[in-house]
Amino acid sequence: MKVNLVQEFRIRFHQEPQQIFFCPGRVNLIGEHIDYNGGCVMPCAISMGTYLAVSKNTDKRLRFQCMNFPEAADLHLQESYSKAGSQWFNYPLGVINELIQNGHSVSGLNMLFYGDLPIGSGLSSSAAIEVLTAFAVSNLFGLNISLKDISLLCKKVENEFIGVNCGIMDQFAVAFGKKDNAILLNCDTLVYEYLPFETRDYVLTIINSNKPRNLVESKYNERFTECGKALKALKKELPVQHLCAINFHEYSAHRHLINDPVLERRALHVIAENLRVGEAVDALKARDLFTFGKLMYASHQSLKEFYEVSGKELDTIVDFCKSFDSCIGARMTGAGFGGCAIALVKKNRYDYFIAELSLYYEKQIGYKPDVFASEAGDGVRLLDQTEN
Ligand code: GLA
């Protein structure tokens, strides 16, 4: 950790933190805008994330502070809470509210967060702070809530308290992450398996477009609604619960029911992307990283053309990657509309890649991207006090 969280906790709260927890962010390797359509996704947790130092207090206050933001909250412990403005502390507040609604009794808490994830860049900083809070509270009060229930509870907070109609992918990925593995998650059944993600001579590279992400929530909710409309139209003749339950043949035979070119494109992306996840699983199992990379490019193209959630910045990054011979695959990751792309870049050309990409991107866009080398990492956990 780049900061001394324990020391800062002592200064701010005049007590020792009882425990320190960590929750990573995530990237999604493939399967984008699939989770809320009942298909399969393939995220992995990463090494960057959010830390929490926490202690119970005896004065029945919920105190939320963060080293990344000046805004803080100091609230009476009460029976329920609702979202207050758009401050960061709505995430832990929403989680504690949900725990209370589920009948868990919680005493006062002093919480200090610190994140080394670029915030709001599509690496799931919000899922990380939610899962981190739920895991820490469950641990501190011996609630024994399973990781699966923590993921579901945090998704509910995001949907109902925060107001974003997200699927389960981010919360599940940051809870269940496993070092050197991707998670293949069926978002309909929540059945999952770990797939060894061996990048061998390649670096899993995260490129932050640094595009300010305005209106992401409303655009995201718009896509959610569009998929619902497409599904409703197809359901007139197809007995399915999700878009991902439809295959290409059925889609071609019934797409006329949708009768709206925009909605048809959205459904086409979802159905094709879900099939690509299946192909990506085969490629990983066959240790065929080249095919995996091609599927990443195909995924990006579909997100750009059919789902329309990319944008000039992310397209500029992926176009550069395509032209760089030592990059075998790249795509936007997460919700889109700015945020991050991921790429598989040959290790011995990594530094050159960063230098060339930065030059190209700055020339096209006007400012630089940030580039990070990452690995698939473990999920939420209690840290040994010496680890910080
Ligand atoms: C965001 C949401 C996820 C998922 C992705 C797109 O990260 O939180 O649930 O829908 O976008 O795949």
Side-chain angles (χ1 to χ4, degrees), residues 117-294:
L117 268 178
I119 290 154
S121 62
L123 298 178
S124 288
S125 50
S126 58
I129 192 167
E130 289 159 0
V131 169
L132 182 61
T133 305
F135 185 81
V137 173
S138 171
N139 207 291
L140 273 177
F141 295 97
L143 307 180
N144 283 324
I145 309 177
S146 69
L147 285 182
K148 184 172 158 187
D149 285 342
I150 285 181
S151 312
L152 288 166
L153 183 143
C154 293
K155 172 183 182 286
K156 189 167 177 221
V157 170
E158 190 84 43
N159 295 162
E160 294 173 12
F161 195 90
I162 304 292
V164 180
N165 287 318
C166 69
I168 188 71
M169 174 172 76
D170 301 348
Q171 290 78 10
F172 201 95
V174 302
F176 283 85
K178 183 172 165 188
K179 189 167 171 34
D180 298 331
N181 282 265
I183 306 167
L184 175 64
L185 171 67
N186 180 322
C187 299
D188 184 23
T189 60
L190 295 192
V191 171
Y192 69 99
E193 68 176 284
Y194 290 112
L195 298 172
F197 185 58
E198 294 160 10
T199 51
R200 298 188 293 279
D201 294 344
Y202 290 85
V203 185
L204 174 61
T205 309
I206 300 175
I207 304 139
N208 186 354
S209 69
N210 285 330
K211 178 186 180 187
R213 289 172 89 217
N214 305 324
L215 296 175
V216 178
E217 292 183 6
S218 61
K219 287 278 174 202
Y220 183 91
N221 286 345
E222 184 182 289
R223 292 296 175 278
F224 177 86
T225 307
E226 287 167 345
C227 288
K229 285 186 185 160
L231 176 66
K232 192 169 172 213
L234 292 165
K235 269 177 142 181
K236 282 182 207 141
E237 287 180 15
L238 292 170
V240 291
Q241 295 304 316
H242 304 293
L243 282 181
C244 288
I246 300 170
N247 64 35
F248 258 137
H249 174 72
E250 289 166 331
Y251 181 64
S252 311
H254 295 92
R255 71 183 286 173
H256 64 274
L257 293 171
I258 299 178
N259 198 22
D260 175 329
V262 172
L263 300 188
E264 283 176 46
R265 288 203 297 277
R266 305 296 188 249
L268 183 60
H269 163 76
V270 169
I271 293 165
E273 180 78 354
N274 192 43
L275 294 172
R276 263 190 295 274
V277 175
E279 292 174 49
V281 173
D282 294 342
L284 268 196
K285 288 188 173 164
R287 296 167 60 90
D288 179 357
L289 219 49
F290 287 98
T291 301
F292 193 89
K294 282 192 188 139

Side-chain angles (χ1 to χ4, degrees), residues 88-109:
W88 68 270
F89 49 74
N90 281 297
Y91 294 101
L93 185 63
V95 169
I96 291 183
N97 176 61
E98 192 56 34
L99 288 166
I100 296 173
Q101 303 319 307
N102 289 358
H104 298 296
S105 58
V106 172
S107 72
L109 289 166

